[in-house]
Amino acid sequence: MADASGSSTAVSGRYNLMGCIKEIPTLKGDNYTEWKKKIDLAFILAEVDWVVTTPCPIEPMAPVSETNMADAAWTTRERDFASQIMSYDLEHRKWITANKKCLAVIKNTIEPAIVGSISECDTITEYSERIKSQFTRSSKTYATQLIKQLVTERYSDNDGIREHILRMSNLASKLKPMDLALKDEFFIHLIFASLPKEFDTFVINYNIQPEKWDMERLMAMCVQEEERMKAVNGGSINYLKDNKKKNNNANSSSKSKEKGHMLHQPQQNKFTIEKDQCLYCKKMEHYKKDYPDYLKMIMAKKGIPFDKDYAKKRKTR
């Protein structure tokens, strides 16, 4: 019965491990944190995670007969040693199998170029440490990218405040394996800084009160404030933008009304131009271009001295 139970457990663990391998992303250099999380999950579900923290069993030393040792005592010592050897063989075989599986999973979820750059190891613990040390430098670059994304993250009412906080929490959680975990109080202020100015009063009320919120309290209060603001402003947080649009629509409609009003106004009588009539003084027998007062005005605007005989010269030409 014990053998059948152990066999079924082994089969179950094998199939769990095979199923989890499909969910493990290929380690490419910039996704070490996500890859490590999936690897750890696969080992736990396959019940081989113990091999990462458990050293390989050491073979017991064979007993040595002492001087004047009784035959019965020696027989007992040999019998105990046989039992130890049997237990060692079982534990050693179990450890070797689990270690081999873990090494195979890790090597088959890493890009070939990266596998070639990591020296061979006999244990999964040592191999994992070498991978971690190799990606320390790349993890620093990844950490910088995460911090930049956290600082520049901004709220959008299309997604909602809950999704916004969860998205920022996910980014912050990726910093924990790099020893860059953010304190809750600092992270709460970082979330407040990402909210639009419509939340200013809400943030000020939090800052003036002595109570400090945890993440659950923050989530509940932000969702409540978002619902209140949407109820007040017709379902949108960015109500200032909506008002601008409404004002623009109102201005355009008013302009169209003015145009329509102008179209419906009776047209005034247009001035009829006679032949040889000046358009500047409305007198006859000369044109605007030859009228001295008009020329004087134009030349004064351009800073040109006016010649009184200029009009006469133009007529004689």
Side-chain angles (χ1 to χ4, degrees), residues 245-256:
K245 292 179 181 179
K246 291 178 181 178
N247 291 334
N248 290 335
N249 293 333
N251 292 335
S252 60
S253 61
S254 61
K255 288 180 181 179
S256 62

Side-chain angles (χ1 to χ4, degrees), residues 278-296:
C278 175
L279 297 177
Y280 184 76
C281 66
K282 306 299 186 293
K283 294 182 180 180
M284 305 297 293
E285 298 183 356
H286 67 270
Y287 295 105
K288 180 173 69 172
K289 63 181 181 178
D290 298 322
Y291 190 62
D293 290 345
Y294 174 73
L295 296 174
K296 184 177 181 180

Side-chain angles (χ1 to χ4, degrees), residues 60-66 69 73-82 84-85:
M61 294 181 63
V64 179
S65 178
E66 299 176 0
M69 188 175 186
W74 173 248
T75 303
T76 302
R77 182 173 293 187
E78 283 187 326
R79 186 171 57 251
D80 292 342
F81 176 70
Q84 292 175 6
I85 284 292

Side-chain angles (χ1 to χ4, degrees), residues 73-278:
W74 173 248
T75 303
T76 302
R77 182 173 293 187
E78 283 187 326
R79 186 171 57 251
D80 292 342
F81 176 70
S83 177
Q84 292 175 6
I85 284 292
M86 185 179 297
S87 177
Y88 162 76
D89 288 340
L90 293 174
E91 293 297 325
H92 185 261
R93 189 180 303 112
K94 180 181 177 183
W95 189 94
I96 290 295
T97 302
N99 183 70
K100 185 178 180 181
K101 287 181 179 180
C102 292
L103 281 172
V105 169
I106 283 186
K107 290 181 179 180
N108 282 277
T109 55
I110 304 177
E111 283 192 341
I114 299 176
V115 174
S117 65
I118 302 173
S119 56
E120 287 294 332
C121 303
D122 294 331
T123 67
I124 182 62
T125 303
E126 187 179 359
Y127 197 77
S128 298
E129 286 299 322
R130 292 190 179 183
I131 295 175
K132 182 179 179 181
S133 63
Q134 180 168 344
F135 284 93
T136 300
R137 201 172 291 174
S138 62
S139 65
K140 291 180 180 178
T141 304
Y142 183 52
T144 303
Q145 295 174 352
L146 288 175
I147 293 172
K148 285 183 178 179
Q149 193 172 351
L150 263 174
V151 173
T152 57
E153 189 74 22
R154 290 295 178 266
Y155 165 85
S156 172
D157 61 347
N158 294 327
D159 297 331
I161 193 72
R162 187 188 301 276
E163 288 74 13
H164 173 66
I165 295 176
L166 290 175
R167 186 165 56 249
M168 292 189 67
S169 298
N170 182 43
L171 292 173
S173 66
K174 294 179 180 179
L175 294 171
K176 291 182 180 180
M178 308 175 194
D179 297 329
L180 294 172
L182 302 178
K183 293 183 178 180
D184 286 347
E185 185 176 356
F186 174 78
F187 185 59
I188 286 173
H189 285 285
L190 192 62
I191 291 175
F192 284 156
S194 69
L195 300 179
K197 60 183 179 180
E198 286 78 12
F199 285 87
D200 285 352
T201 305
F202 174 73
V203 176
I204 291 172
N205 289 335
Y206 170 78
N207 290 334
I208 63 177
Q209 64 178 349
E211 180 188 3
K212 294 182 180 180
W213 296 344
D214 55 13
M215 290 305 299
E216 293 181 0
R217 175 77 168 165
L218 171 72
M219 180 80 75
M221 296 303 294
C222 285
V223 170
Q224 181 179 342
E225 178 65 12
E226 181 187 49
E227 292 175 352
R228 184 194 67 80
M229 294 174 66
K230 285 186 176 181
V232 172
N233 300 295
S236 175
I237 298 297
N238 298 327
Y239 56 91
L240 292 178
K241 295 181 180 179
D242 293 339
N243 286 342
K244 288 181 180 179
K245 292 179 181 179
K246 291 178 181 178
N247 291 334
N248 290 335
N249 293 333
N251 292 335
S252 60
S253 61
S254 61
K255 288 180 181 179
S256 62
K257 288 181 180 179
E258 290 177 0
K259 290 181 180 179
H261 180 68
M262 292 176 63
L263 290 174
H264 287 85
Q265 284 183 345
Q267 296 183 354
Q268 297 179 352
N269 294 330
K270 294 183 179 180
F271 177 74
T272 56
I273 301 173
E274 300 292 341
K275 188 177 180 181
D276 296 336
Q277 184 177 13
C278 175

